[in-house]
Amino acid sequence: MPVLPSGVLGALDPTSDRAVFRQIADQLREAIDKGKFAEGDKLPSETELVEHYGVSRMTVRNSLSVLQGEGLVVSEHGKGVFVRPRPPVRRLASDRFARRHREQGKSAFIVEADAAGSHPTVDSLEIKEERPSQDVATRLGGPRRVLARRRRYLLDGRPVEFATSYLPLDLARGTPIAEPNPGPGGIYARLEELGHRLDHFEEEIRARMPAPSEVKTLQLASGVPVIHLVRTAFDTEGRAVEVCDTVMAADAYVLAYQLPAT
């Protein structure tokens, strides 16, 4: 039978009132936290854990399920259980919408993908005119109709976010914004070309567990939450020119902020 290297995992405490499968999960979690198993590493197999702890296979599976539910590990069918990699994309709020990126013909997603050394793609694109929800209408100042742009973003072929932009129809209809490819710099560059120079953005962020449709769209593993972000873009006249509703895989991003000290 396979034997684990000495010192990687400890022994069970028979005097503890903590369930055995939770003790095993605790030890695996601690080993991950201490770097004994690095991101991408394969955890000991079920057989190795059964032998090491002297427990049933079901007990080991329950332990691994705890770690999967916490988002620490991911199971790959036929291969084993692996430590989940850390988020590859650093989303720096103070820089991602800088005008210099648009002037270079780059959208925020392309800038972040370049920084992460990843290949960005977009699919599941849908563009349509529709009646906005009450929340979107309120944020945009009450338009009856909007242009909605829905799309899914991928890095190296992996879905990482799904976003919908809502723009007042009087701004977007008949412009490149209504085209599948709005051109270099994305829709913000087109808005500025139309005379709506962007002044600032407001974002609301919350974390939650995903809906079933979001699990499917983002191909999320068990236990992975999502980051739900709603952003409103304002021009220099104070008009709200876009609302973007984005759902991101929480294991794909680090949200970074630079805040002034006042």
Side-chain angles (χ1 to χ4, degrees):
M1 297 289 286
V3 178
L4 292 178
S6 175
V8 175
L9 296 173
L12 298 174
D13 181 359
T15 65
S16 174
D17 58 0
R18 189 162 176 78
V20 169
F21 79 94
R22 295 196 180 277
Q23 289 190 51
I24 297 173
D26 292 343
Q27 292 192 15
L28 289 168
R29 186 188 305 105
E30 182 179 6
I32 292 171
D33 289 343
K34 290 183 175 180
K36 294 179 180 180
F37 298 113
E39 59 181 280
D41 280 357
K42 182 180 179 181
L43 292 187
S45 68
E46 289 183 3
T47 300
E48 290 173 317
L49 293 172
V50 166
E51 176 68 13
H52 178 78
Y53 288 111
V55 297
S56 70
R57 189 172 296 270
M58 183 56 67
T59 297
V60 166
R61 288 177 178 172
N62 288 340
S63 302
L64 296 174
S65 292
V66 170
L67 300 182
Q68 283 184 263
E70 295 172 354
L72 288 177
V73 302
V74 59
S75 177
E76 297 185 15
H77 183 68
K79 295 182 179 181
V81 178
F82 298 82
V83 179
R84 186 183 299 282
R86 290 188 174 89
V89 182
R90 182 177 174 84
R91 183 185 184 279
L92 182 58
S94 61
D95 180 72
R96 67 189 314 264
F97 297 124
R99 183 165 286 106
R100 69 179 185 279
H101 298 317
R102 296 193 292 278
E103 292 173 347
Q104 295 169 0
K106 293 183 176 182
S107 67
F109 184 67
I110 291 177
V111 171
E112 291 168 347
D114 288 348
S118 298
H119 176 65
T121 54
V122 178
D123 69 6
S124 303
L125 179 65
E126 179 188 47
I127 304 171
K128 61 186 296 189
E129 297 180 6
E130 63 185 41
R131 184 180 297 276
S133 69
Q134 183 60 53
D135 178 66
V136 169
T138 299
R139 293 174 188 270
L140 287 175
R144 294 187 177 183
R145 303 283 289 177
V146 296
L147 181 79
R149 293 181 57 94
R150 295 180 174 87
R151 65 277 191 199
R152 184 175 68 164
Y153 293 99
L154 303 90
L155 289 176
D156 299 324
R158 176 199 170 188
V160 293
E161 67 177 83
F162 184 81
T164 303
S165 287
Y166 302 95
L167 300 103
L169 203 53
D170 66 295
L171 297 185
R173 176 184 275 173
T175 74
I177 295 172
E179 299 297 324
N181 182 355
I187 62 176
Y188 290 155
R190 303 292 79 75
L191 281 169
E192 295 205 316
E193 289 173 355
L194 292 168
H196 296 276
R197 185 175 176 84
L198 297 176
D199 180 74
H200 69 279
F201 303 87
E202 295 180 359
E203 292 188 339
E204 298 177 6
I205 303 171
R206 64 190 179 102
R208 58 174 172 78
M209 295 309 295
S213 61
E214 294 167 342
V215 171
K216 181 178 180 180
T217 298
L218 295 175
Q219 299 176 14
L220 298 173
S222 174
V224 176
V226 292
I227 301 167
H228 186 185
L229 184 151
V230 179
R231 178 178 64 254
T232 306
F234 295 86
D235 67 13
T236 54
E237 299 298 319
R239 181 180 180 181
V241 294
E242 182 232 21
V243 169
C244 187
D245 189 313
T246 303
V247 176
M248 300 180 285
D251 63 343
Y253 286 92
V254 170
L255 305 186
Y257 296 87
Q258 294 179 348
L259 303 176
T262 58

